Amino acid sequence: MPLSAATRAKIERNRQRALMLRQARVASRPYSSGEGGTCAKIPKTIDSGGGFFIEEEEEEEEHKTKDVVHRPGPVVEFDYLMCEECDKAFMDSYLSNSFDLSVCDNCRDSESKHKLITRSEAKNEYLLKDCDLDKREPMLRYVLKKNPHNPRWGDMKLYLRLQVVKRSLEVWGSEEALEEAREERVGNREKLKQKRFDKKVKELRRTVRSSMWKRDSSAHQHSYGPEEALDDDDNYRKICSTCGHELTYEKM
């Protein structure tokens, strides 16, 4: 993937800084020795013939110190960035390094225009999918931040809301289409909530109805009325006043 203009400018600025530091180090040590050793002067000895030697010092040669002339360094022209807000040149900023956005630190509006939002907010508020954030070219840049609720949950991915809004318009085409999709999603969410509520009410009614009905497991005791004669053959009957059961019997 080709590098952006801001990335190339940052690389060139780093290279020029390294060259300037190197020239400064060379200029601060013009007489440094390659081997790091020193040369000691040895005096000349002469035999006097009387049993001892005479040391004769050689005349020291005068060393003329030459003036060190430094060659002028190359003229470096920095590739400055132009701020999109104030149209002023700048070298480096937080938004240019983190999100490849040409805005200086003085014009950064972290509360409104250049506000950072989480990945969940980008997906829920602007109806973006994971592929829209990670796979669609160019991939949206983000910064990592510790989760303020619990550091063990992992780092949060913070996106620049300005770039998230631009990506949502690329996906949905226009603000009207995005708003219609939001309303449709809200309507479907309300329908789903109502369906879940009706289901819970139905289950609650079934539970209440089943708790109120109690089955009588005790044996039924018949309560017969007066006996009636059926014929002249001594056949009689009794009828239960509760369930209507008829008992027929014969008297001897």
Side-chain angles (χ1 to χ4, degrees):
M1 182 177 65
L3 299 177
S4 61
T7 305
R8 292 196 300 270
K10 183 178 179 181
I11 295 175
E12 181 64 22
R13 289 196 298 271
N14 294 336
R15 189 179 70 85
Q16 296 296 342
R17 288 176 184 172
L19 289 176
M20 294 178 67
L21 291 175
R22 181 180 179 184
Q23 291 177 2
R25 286 195 298 267
V26 173
S28 63
R29 294 182 298 174
Y31 302 105
S32 60
S33 175
E35 298 179 357
T38 57
C39 181
K41 185 177 179 181
I42 303 175
K44 183 179 179 180
T45 57
I46 300 175
D47 188 0
S48 62
F52 56 89
F53 295 92
I54 301 176
E55 295 182 355
E56 181 180 357
E57 296 183 358
E58 296 180 353
E59 295 182 357
E60 297 181 357
E61 296 181 357
E62 296 181 357
H63 297 279
K64 297 181 179 180
T65 305
K66 298 181 180 180
D67 296 335
V68 180
V69 179
H70 299 285
R71 291 180 299 175
V75 179
V76 179
E77 296 182 359
F78 292 101
D79 189 6
Y80 290 96
L81 299 175
M82 296 300 297
C83 180
E84 297 178 358
E85 301 294 334
C86 62
D87 294 332
K88 294 182 181 179
F90 67 96
M91 293 183 59
D92 203 3
S93 70
Y94 174 78
L95 294 177
S96 64
N97 294 333
S98 301
F99 301 99
D100 199 10
L101 184 66
S102 297
V103 175
C104 63
D105 291 333
N106 295 331
C107 297
R108 178 188 172 190
D109 185 7
S110 59
E111 298 296 331
S112 178
K113 187 174 183 179
H114 305 124
K115 184 178 179 181
L116 303 181
I117 60 176
T118 62
R119 186 181 181 92
S120 299
E121 292 175 346
K123 294 170 62 177
N124 296 331
E125 185 175 354
Y126 297 97
L127 308 184
L128 295 177
K129 301 179 181 178
D130 292 332
C131 59
D132 298 328
L133 299 174
D134 301 333
K135 296 183 179 181
R136 183 183 288 265
E137 295 293 340
M139 292 186 297
L140 293 184
R141 301 182 65 176
Y142 58 87
V143 294
L144 296 176
K145 184 179 180 181
K146 292 293 184 181
N147 196 311
H149 303 287
N150 191 345
R152 299 181 180 179
W153 289 351
D155 297 337
M156 296 190 307
K157 292 183 179 181
L158 299 180
Y159 294 85
L160 188 63
R161 186 173 66 176
L162 183 67
Q163 296 178 346
V164 173
V165 172
K166 183 178 179 181
R167 178 57 53 87
S168 66
L169 295 180
E170 293 176 0
V171 174
W172 294 101
S174 63
E175 294 183 0
E176 291 77 9
L178 177 60
E179 190 64 27
E180 291 179 1
R182 285 176 179 170
E183 293 178 357
E184 183 180 358
R185 177 170 293 189
V186 171
N188 294 336
R189 189 178 296 128
E190 293 297 332
K191 290 180 180 178
L192 183 59
K193 287 183 179 179
Q194 186 64 33
K195 186 176 180 180
R196 291 177 178 174
F197 176 76
D198 295 340
K199 184 178 180 180
K200 289 183 179 180
V201 170
K202 187 176 181 180
E203 292 178 353
L204 181 61
R205 288 177 179 175
R206 186 183 300 112
T207 303
V208 172
R209 190 179 300 131
S210 61
S211 62
M212 293 178 62
W213 181 79
K214 294 183 179 179
R215 183 177 179 180
D216 190 6
S217 59
S218 61
H220 176 63
Q221 299 292 332
H222 295 292
S223 177
Y224 296 104
E227 63 179 9
E228 299 177 3
L230 296 179
D231 50 26
D232 297 336
D233 295 335
D234 296 331
N235 292 323
Y236 297 87
R237 70 174 183 179
K238 288 182 180 180
I239 300 176
C240 179
S241 59
T242 303
C243 63
H245 179 264
E246 184 178 347
L247 178 63
T248 304
Y249 57 93
E250 180 182 0
K251 287 185 178 182
M252 300 299 294

